[in-house]
Amino acid sequence: MFPLDPSPEIKIGDIFTLVGLLFAGVSLLVTAYQLRINSRVQKAQFLLDITDRYFSDSEIRSLFYKLDHREFVFDENNVRGNNELRTLDKLLYILDVIGRMVRMKTITVEEVNILRFQILRVLDNHETNKYLNWLDRSYTSVETARPAISNDVPVSKKQKAHTDARFLRQRLIKSNQ
């Protein structure tokens, strides 16, 4: 057992221990605060970069307006070499990145609301959905034709293209209800 020394004396070692504990506690609080600020800055930088990439790409903006004005038409017989589909893929991959960040809880749906209108206009567009369905069918046919790598890894027959963009759409819709 440890002997208890109930003496009311405060020794210099006790003062140093108390000062050290206070310094450690304050340092911990300052570090937590700095991490919180750094996290906010990184989120803001990510959103700024995505927004800049989205709005500064003239091909993406042009395609967005075609989608928004219902001038874009997906023709599955005219896929190879189609520059508009290449641009739509680029746009969908940007939305995939945003959706992945939301799925990973790195950013919130509220933080993505700045692009809400554009995201929903693209992903709710009938022709975009025709293209996504075509990609799903193409992806499934490629996956089912591919032999499984091992017996433990089954080939997925229900994999969909741009799942993170689709997830983002659902989360945006759900957050508005």
PDB file of all heavy atoms in Angstrom, residues 62-87:
ATOM      1  N   SER A  62     -20.977  24.442 -71.086  1.00  0.00           N
ATOM      2  CA  SER A  62     -21.779  24.351 -72.315  1.00  0.00           C
ATOM      3  C   SER A  62     -22.717  23.149 -72.251  1.00  0.00           C
ATOM      4  O   SER A  62     -23.903  23.251 -72.582  1.00  0.00           O
ATOM      5  CB  SER A  62     -20.855  24.254 -73.529  1.00  0.00           C
ATOM      6  OG  SER A  62     -21.598  24.071 -74.697  1.00  0.00           O
ATOM      7  N   LEU A  63     -22.186  22.014 -71.822  1.00  0.00           N
ATOM      8  CA  LEU A  63     -23.028  20.817 -71.715  1.00  0.00           C
ATOM      9  C   LEU A  63     -24.108  21.011 -70.653  1.00  0.00           C
ATOM     10  O   LEU A  63     -25.249  20.593 -70.850  1.00  0.00           O
ATOM     11  CB  LEU A  63     -22.195  19.577 -71.393  1.00  0.00           C
ATOM     12  CG  LEU A  63     -23.014  18.299 -71.253  1.00  0.00           C
ATOM     13  CD1 LEU A  63     -23.661  17.918 -72.587  1.00  0.00           C
ATOM     14  CD2 LEU A  63     -22.165  17.162 -70.731  1.00  0.00           C
ATOM     15  N   PHE A  64     -23.750  21.646 -69.539  1.00  0.00           N
ATOM     16  CA  PHE A  64     -24.756  21.891 -68.506  1.00  0.00           C
ATOM     17  C   PHE A  64     -25.935  22.676 -69.084  1.00  0.00           C
ATOM     18  O   PHE A  64     -27.091  22.334 -68.836  1.00  0.00           O
ATOM     19  CB  PHE A  64     -24.172  22.640 -67.307  1.00  0.00           C
ATOM     20  CG  PHE A  64     -25.232  23.084 -66.357  1.00  0.00           C
ATOM     21  CD1 PHE A  64     -25.825  22.180 -65.483  1.00  0.00           C
ATOM     22  CD2 PHE A  64     -25.705  24.390 -66.366  1.00  0.00           C
ATOM     23  CE1 PHE A  64     -26.844  22.573 -64.621  1.00  0.00           C
ATOM     24  CE2 PHE A  64     -26.717  24.798 -65.509  1.00  0.00           C
ATOM     25  CZ  PHE A  64     -27.282  23.875 -64.637  1.00  0.00           C
ATOM     26  N   TYR A  65     -25.649  23.721 -69.853  1.00  0.00           N
ATOM     27  CA  TYR A  65     -26.735  24.519 -70.419  1.00  0.00           C
ATOM     28  C   TYR A  65     -27.551  23.716 -71.420  1.00  0.00           C
ATOM     29  O   TYR A  65     -28.771  23.867 -71.500  1.00  0.00           O
ATOM     30  CB  TYR A  65     -26.208  25.808 -71.032  1.00  0.00           C
ATOM     31  CG  TYR A  65     -25.715  26.769 -69.974  1.00  0.00           C
ATOM     32  CD1 TYR A  65     -24.404  27.223 -69.972  1.00  0.00           C
ATOM     33  CD2 TYR A  65     -26.559  27.199 -68.948  1.00  0.00           C
ATOM     34  CE1 TYR A  65     -23.955  28.081 -68.987  1.00  0.00           C
ATOM     35  CE2 TYR A  65     -26.110  28.055 -67.960  1.00  0.00           C
ATOM     36  CZ  TYR A  65     -24.809  28.491 -67.986  1.00  0.00           C
ATOM     37  OH  TYR A  65     -24.363  29.335 -67.001  1.00  0.00           O
ATOM     38  N   LYS A  66     -26.898  22.823 -72.160  1.00  0.00           N
ATOM     39  CA  LYS A  66     -27.655  21.954 -73.070  1.00  0.00           C
ATOM     40  C   LYS A  66     -28.565  21.017 -72.285  1.00  0.00           C
ATOM     41  O   LYS A  66     -29.707  20.779 -72.674  1.00  0.00           O
ATOM     42  CB  LYS A  66     -26.709  21.144 -73.960  1.00  0.00           C
ATOM     43  CG  LYS A  66     -26.147  21.929 -75.098  1.00  0.00           C
ATOM     44  CD  LYS A  66     -25.347  21.029 -76.018  1.00  0.00           C
ATOM     45  CE  LYS A  66     -24.945  21.808 -77.255  1.00  0.00           C
ATOM     46  NZ  LYS A  66     -24.354  20.945 -78.261  1.00  0.00           N
ATOM     47  N   LEU A  67     -28.054  20.491 -71.182  1.00  0.00           N
ATOM     48  CA  LEU A  67     -28.879  19.636 -70.327  1.00  0.00           C
ATOM     49  C   LEU A  67     -30.021  20.449 -69.710  1.00  0.00           C
ATOM     50  O   LEU A  67     -31.170  20.014 -69.704  1.00  0.00           O
ATOM     51  CB  LEU A  67     -28.037  18.996 -69.220  1.00  0.00           C
ATOM     52  CG  LEU A  67     -27.057  17.916 -69.633  1.00  0.00           C
ATOM     53  CD1 LEU A  67     -26.074  17.625 -68.497  1.00  0.00           C
ATOM     54  CD2 LEU A  67     -27.770  16.654 -70.048  1.00  0.00           C
ATOM     55  N   ASP A  68     -29.689  21.610 -69.211  1.00  0.00           N
ATOM     56  CA  ASP A  68     -30.679  22.451 -68.545  1.00  0.00           C
ATOM     57  C   ASP A  68     -31.781  22.902 -69.507  1.00  0.00           C
ATOM     58  O   ASP A  68     -32.946  22.969 -69.128  1.00  0.00           O
ATOM     59  CB  ASP A  68     -29.982  23.670 -67.935  1.00  0.00           C
ATOM     60  CG  ASP A  68     -30.884  24.435 -66.991  1.00  0.00           C
ATOM     61  OD1 ASP A  68     -31.691  23.792 -66.281  1.00  0.00           O
ATOM     62  OD2 ASP A  68     -30.773  25.669 -66.959  1.00  0.00           O
ATOM     63  N   HIS A  69     -31.428  23.159 -70.751  1.00  0.00           N
ATOM     64  CA  HIS A  69     -32.410  23.605 -71.753  1.00  0.00           C
ATOM     65  C   HIS A  69     -32.990  22.444 -72.555  1.00  0.00           C
ATOM     66  O   HIS A  69     -33.691  22.665 -73.539  1.00  0.00           O
ATOM     67  CB  HIS A  69     -31.780  24.633 -72.697  1.00  0.00           C
ATOM     68  CG  HIS A  69     -31.305  25.851 -71.995  1.00  0.00           C
ATOM     69  ND1 HIS A  69     -30.244  26.602 -72.446  1.00  0.00           N
ATOM     70  CD2 HIS A  69     -31.723  26.463 -70.848  1.00  0.00           C
ATOM     71  CE1 HIS A  69     -30.046  27.622 -71.629  1.00  0.00           C
ATOM     72  NE2 HIS A  69     -30.928  27.545 -70.647  1.00  0.00           N
ATOM     73  N   ARG A  70     -32.653  21.247 -72.123  1.00  0.00           N
ATOM     74  CA  ARG A  70     -33.151  20.013 -72.752  1.00  0.00           C
ATOM     75  C   ARG A  70     -32.794  19.925 -74.235  1.00  0.00           C
ATOM     76  O   ARG A  70     -33.570  19.463 -75.048  1.00  0.00           O
ATOM     77  CB  ARG A  70     -34.650  19.870 -72.543  1.00  0.00           C
ATOM     78  CG  ARG A  70     -35.048  19.916 -71.067  1.00  0.00           C
ATOM     79  CD  ARG A  70     -36.353  19.275 -70.784  1.00  0.00           C
ATOM     80  NE  ARG A  70     -36.872  19.460 -69.457  1.00  0.00           N
ATOM     81  CZ  ARG A  70     -36.319  19.086 -68.315  1.00  0.00           C
ATOM     82  NH1 ARG A  70     -35.163  18.538 -68.298  1.00  0.00           N
ATOM     83  NH2 ARG A  70     -36.929  19.268 -67.166  1.00  0.00           N
ATOM     84  N   GLU A  71     -31.590  20.378 -74.562  1.00  0.00           N
ATOM     85  CA  GLU A  71     -31.100  20.316 -75.933  1.00  0.00           C
ATOM     86  C   GLU A  71     -30.188  19.112 -76.156  1.00  0.00           C
ATOM     87  O   GLU A  71     -29.921  18.755 -77.287  1.00  0.00           O
ATOM     88  CB  GLU A  71     -30.347  21.605 -76.286  1.00  0.00           C
ATOM     89  CG  GLU A  71     -31.229  22.827 -76.284  1.00  0.00           C
ATOM     90  CD  GLU A  71     -30.441  24.117 -76.390  1.00  0.00           C
ATOM     91  OE1 GLU A  71     -29.189  24.068 -76.443  1.00  0.00           O
ATOM     92  OE2 GLU A  71     -31.074  25.185 -76.400  1.00  0.00           O
ATOM     93  N   PHE A  72     -29.702  18.509 -75.084  1.00  0.00           N
ATOM     94  CA  PHE A  72     -28.825  17.337 -75.194  1.00  0.00           C
ATOM     95  C   PHE A  72     -29.692  16.097 -75.360  1.00  0.00           C
ATOM     96  O   PHE A  72     -30.666  15.904 -74.638  1.00  0.00           O
ATOM     97  CB  PHE A  72     -27.961  17.197 -73.934  1.00  0.00           C
ATOM     98  CG  PHE A  72     -27.156  15.936 -73.892  1.00  0.00           C
ATOM     99  CD1 PHE A  72     -25.978  15.817 -74.612  1.00  0.00           C
ATOM    100  CD2 PHE A  72     -27.578  14.857 -73.137  1.00  0.00           C
ATOM    101  CE1 PHE A  72     -25.242  14.646 -74.572  1.00  0.00           C
ATOM    102  CE2 PHE A  72     -26.851  13.683 -73.088  1.00  0.00           C
ATOM    103  CZ  PHE A  72     -25.676  13.574 -73.817  1.00  0.00           C
ATOM    104  N   VAL A  73     -29.304  15.266 -76.333  1.00  0.00           N
ATOM    105  CA  VAL A  73     -30.014  14.008 -76.569  1.00  0.00           C
ATOM    106  C   VAL A  73     -28.978  12.890 -76.599  1.00  0.00           C
ATOM    107  O   VAL A  73     -27.994  12.971 -77.343  1.00  0.00           O
ATOM    108  CB  VAL A  73     -30.800  14.045 -77.903  1.00  0.00           C
ATOM    109  CG1 VAL A  73     -31.451  12.698 -78.168  1.00  0.00           C
ATOM    110  CG2 VAL A  73     -31.836  15.158 -77.894  1.00  0.00           C
ATOM    111  N   PHE A  74     -29.202  11.878 -75.767  1.00  0.00           N
ATOM    112  CA  PHE A  74     -28.318  10.717 -75.771  1.00  0.00           C
ATOM    113  C   PHE A  74     -28.785   9.733 -76.827  1.00  0.00           C
ATOM    114  O   PHE A  74     -29.946   9.328 -76.853  1.00  0.00           O
ATOM    115  CB  PHE A  74     -28.295  10.033 -74.400  1.00  0.00           C
ATOM    116  CG  PHE A  74     -27.571   8.725 -74.418  1.00  0.00           C
ATOM    117  CD1 PHE A  74     -26.210   8.669 -74.656  1.00  0.00           C
ATOM    118  CD2 PHE A  74     -28.258   7.538 -74.239  1.00  0.00           C
ATOM    119  CE1 PHE A  74     -25.548   7.465 -74.695  1.00  0.00           C
ATOM    120  CE2 PHE A  74     -27.597   6.322 -74.273  1.00  0.00           C
ATOM    121  CZ  PHE A  74     -26.239   6.282 -74.499  1.00  0.00           C
ATOM    122  N   ASP A  75     -27.848   9.355 -77.701  1.00  0.00           N
ATOM    123  CA  ASP A  75     -28.118   8.377 -78.744  1.00  0.00           C
ATOM    124  C   ASP A  75     -27.111   7.245 -78.575  1.00  0.00           C
ATOM    125  O   ASP A  75     -25.921   7.430 -78.835  1.00  0.00           O
ATOM    126  CB  ASP A  75     -27.980   9.029 -80.130  1.00  0.00           C
ATOM    127  CG  ASP A  75     -28.185   8.051 -81.280  1.00  0.00           C
ATOM    128  OD1 ASP A  75     -28.599   6.891 -81.030  1.00  0.00           O
ATOM    129  OD2 ASP A  75     -27.921   8.444 -82.428  1.00  0.00           O
ATOM    130  N   GLU A  76     -27.591   6.089 -78.122  1.00  0.00           N
ATOM    131  CA  GLU A  76     -26.658   4.986 -77.865  1.00  0.00           C
ATOM    132  C   GLU A  76     -26.008   4.454 -79.138  1.00  0.00           C
ATOM    133  O   GLU A  76     -25.044   3.704 -79.070  1.00  0.00           O
ATOM    134  CB  GLU A  76     -27.316   3.865 -77.068  1.00  0.00           C
ATOM    135  CG  GLU A  76     -28.425   3.123 -77.749  1.00  0.00           C
ATOM    136  CD  GLU A  76     -29.013   2.065 -76.832  1.00  0.00           C
ATOM    137  OE1 GLU A  76     -29.670   2.423 -75.843  1.00  0.00           O
ATOM    138  OE2 GLU A  76     -28.791   0.873 -77.104  1.00  0.00           O
ATOM    139  N   ASN A  77     -26.514   4.841 -80.296  1.00  0.00           N
ATOM    140  CA  ASN A  77     -25.883   4.458 -81.560  1.00  0.00           C
ATOM    141  C   ASN A  77     -24.767   5.421 -81.955  1.00  0.00           C
ATOM    142  O   ASN A  77     -24.070   5.192 -82.933  1.00  0.00           O
ATOM    143  CB  ASN A  77     -26.931   4.403 -82.683  1.00  0.00           C
ATOM    144  CG  ASN A  77     -27.975   3.343 -82.410  1.00  0.00           C
ATOM    145  OD1 ASN A  77     -27.651   2.233 -81.992  1.00  0.00           O
ATOM    146  ND2 ASN A  77     -29.237   3.683 -82.624  1.00  0.00           N
ATOM    147  N   ASN A  78     -24.616   6.502 -81.206  1.00  0.00           N
ATOM    148  CA  ASN A  78     -23.593   7.507 -81.501  1.00  0.00           C
ATOM    149  C   ASN A  78     -22.747   7.755 -80.253  1.00  0.00           C
ATOM    150  O   ASN A  78     -22.672   8.876 -79.759  1.00  0.00           O
ATOM    151  CB  ASN A  78     -24.263   8.800 -81.976  1.00  0.00           C
ATOM    152  CG  ASN A  78     -23.257   9.849 -82.385  1.00  0.00           C
ATOM    153  OD1 ASN A  78     -22.129   9.543 -82.717  1.00  0.00           O
ATOM    154  ND2 ASN A  78     -23.681  11.094 -82.330  1.00  0.00           N
ATOM    155  N   VAL A  79     -22.128   6.696 -79.753  1.00  0.00           N
ATOM    156  CA  VAL A  79     -21.360   6.805 -78.514  1.00  0.00           C
ATOM    157  C   VAL A  79     -19.877   7.004 -78.802  1.00  0.00           C
ATOM    158  O   VAL A  79     -19.242   7.891 -78.240  1.00  0.00           O
ATOM    159  CB  VAL A  79     -21.585   5.557 -77.628  1.00  0.00           C
ATOM    160  CG1 VAL A  79     -20.660   5.560 -76.439  1.00  0.00           C
ATOM    161  CG2 VAL A  79     -23.033   5.482 -77.197  1.00  0.00           C
ATOM    162  N   ARG A  80     -19.343   6.219 -79.673  1.00  0.00           N
ATOM    163  CA  ARG A  80     -17.909   6.253 -79.960  1.00  0.00           C
ATOM    164  C   ARG A  80     -17.502   7.602 -80.550  1.00  0.00           C
ATOM    165  O   ARG A  80     -18.063   8.055 -81.532  1.00  0.00           O
ATOM    166  CB  ARG A  80     -17.553   5.134 -80.927  1.00  0.00           C
ATOM    167  CG  ARG A  80     -16.073   4.899 -81.053  1.00  0.00           C
ATOM    168  CD  ARG A  80     -15.819   3.650 -81.835  1.00  0.00           C
ATOM    169  NE  ARG A  80     -16.311   2.498 -81.100  1.00  0.00           N
ATOM    170  CZ  ARG A  80     -15.537   1.541 -80.624  1.00  0.00           C
ATOM    171  NH1 ARG A  80     -14.260   1.590 -80.832  1.00  0.00           N
ATOM    172  NH2 ARG A  80     -16.057   0.530 -79.964  1.00  0.00           N
ATOM    173  N   GLY A  81     -16.549   8.253 -79.894  1.00  0.00           N
ATOM    174  CA  GLY A  81     -16.026   9.525 -80.380  1.00  0.00           C
ATOM    175  C   GLY A  81     -16.938  10.719 -80.126  1.00  0.00           C
ATOM    176  O   GLY A  81     -16.675  11.800 -80.632  1.00  0.00           O
ATOM    177  N   ASN A  82     -17.966  10.544 -79.330  1.00  0.00           N
ATOM    178  CA  ASN A  82     -18.899  11.623 -79.060  1.00  0.00           C
ATOM    179  C   ASN A  82     -18.312  12.540 -77.978  1.00  0.00           C
ATOM    180  O   ASN A  82     -18.178  12.148 -76.820  1.00  0.00           O
ATOM    181  CB  ASN A  82     -20.247  11.043 -78.623  1.00  0.00           C
ATOM    182  CG  ASN A  82     -21.318  12.090 -78.474  1.00  0.00           C
ATOM    183  OD1 ASN A  82     -21.074  13.178 -78.000  1.00  0.00           O
ATOM    184  ND2 ASN A  82     -22.531  11.716 -78.860  1.00  0.00           N
ATOM    185  N   ASN A  83     -17.973  13.769 -78.360  1.00  0.00           N
ATOM    186  CA  ASN A  83     -17.351  14.704 -77.423  1.00  0.00           C
ATOM    187  C   ASN A  83     -18.294  15.128 -76.303  1.00  0.00           C
ATOM    188  O   ASN A  83     -17.846  15.370 -75.178  1.00  0.00           O
ATOM    189  CB  ASN A  83     -16.839  15.942 -78.159  1.00  0.00           C
ATOM    190  CG  ASN A  83     -15.564  15.644 -78.925  1.00  0.00           C
ATOM    191  OD1 ASN A  83     -14.819  14.739 -78.578  1.00  0.00           O
ATOM    192  ND2 ASN A  83     -15.324  16.405 -79.975  1.00  0.00           N
ATOM    193  N   GLU A  84     -19.582  15.222 -76.581  1.00  0.00           N
ATOM    194  CA  GLU A  84     -20.520  15.593 -75.516  1.00  0.00           C
ATOM    195  C   GLU A  84     -20.585  14.509 -74.443  1.00  0.00           C
ATOM    196  O   GLU A  84     -20.696  14.812 -73.261  1.00  0.00           O
ATOM    197  CB  GLU A  84     -21.909  15.870 -76.091  1.00  0.00           C
ATOM    198  CG  GLU A  84     -22.005  17.204 -76.796  1.00  0.00           C
ATOM    199  CD  GLU A  84     -23.409  17.517 -77.259  1.00  0.00           C
ATOM    200  OE1 GLU A  84     -24.191  16.586 -77.558  1.00  0.00           O
ATOM    201  OE2 GLU A  84     -23.726  18.714 -77.336  1.00  0.00           O
ATOM    202  N   LEU A  85     -20.513  13.241 -74.858  1.00  0.00           N
ATOM    203  CA  LEU A  85     -20.520  12.158 -73.858  1.00  0.00           C
ATOM    204  C   LEU A  85     -19.220  12.157 -73.057  1.00  0.00           C
ATOM    205  O   LEU A  85     -19.228  11.862 -71.860  1.00  0.00           O
ATOM    206  CB  LEU A  85     -20.740  10.805 -74.533  1.00  0.00           C
ATOM    207  CG  LEU A  85     -22.146  10.574 -75.069  1.00  0.00           C
ATOM    208  CD1 LEU A  85     -22.253   9.187 -75.691  1.00  0.00           C
ATOM    209  CD2 LEU A  85     -23.190  10.753 -73.997  1.00  0.00           C
ATOM    210  N   ARG A  86     -18.125  12.504 -73.704  1.00  0.00           N
ATOM    211  CA  ARG A  86     -16.847  12.613 -72.990  1.00  0.00           C
ATOM    212  C   ARG A  86     -16.959  13.714 -71.930  1.00  0.00           C
ATOM    213  O   ARG A  86     -16.536  13.545 -70.783  1.00  0.00           O
ATOM    214  CB  ARG A  86     -15.714  12.911 -73.975  1.00  0.00           C
ATOM    215  CG  ARG A  86     -14.347  12.965 -73.340  1.00  0.00           C
ATOM    216  CD  ARG A  86     -13.269  13.304 -74.353  1.00  0.00           C
ATOM    217  NE  ARG A  86     -13.506  14.523 -75.091  1.00  0.00           N
ATOM    218  CZ  ARG A  86     -13.299  15.750 -74.624  1.00  0.00           C
ATOM    219  NH1 ARG A  86     -12.860  15.910 -73.395  1.00  0.00           N
ATOM    220  NH2 ARG A  86     -13.523  16.812 -75.370  1.00  0.00           N
ATOM    221  N   THR A  87     -17.589  14.812 -72.296  1.00  0.00           N
ATOM    222  CA  THR A  87     -17.780  15.915 -71.345  1.00  0.00           C
ATOM    223  C   THR A  87     -18.757  15.510 -70.248  1.00  0.00           C
ATOM    224  O   THR A  87     -18.555  15.841 -69.067  1.00  0.00           O
ATOM    225  CB  THR A  87     -18.272  17.176 -72.078  1.00  0.00           C
ATOM    226  OG1 THR A  87     -17.332  17.504 -73.104  1.00  0.00           O
ATOM    227  CG2 THR A  87     -18.408  18.344 -71.137  1.00  0.00           C
TER     228      THR A  87
END
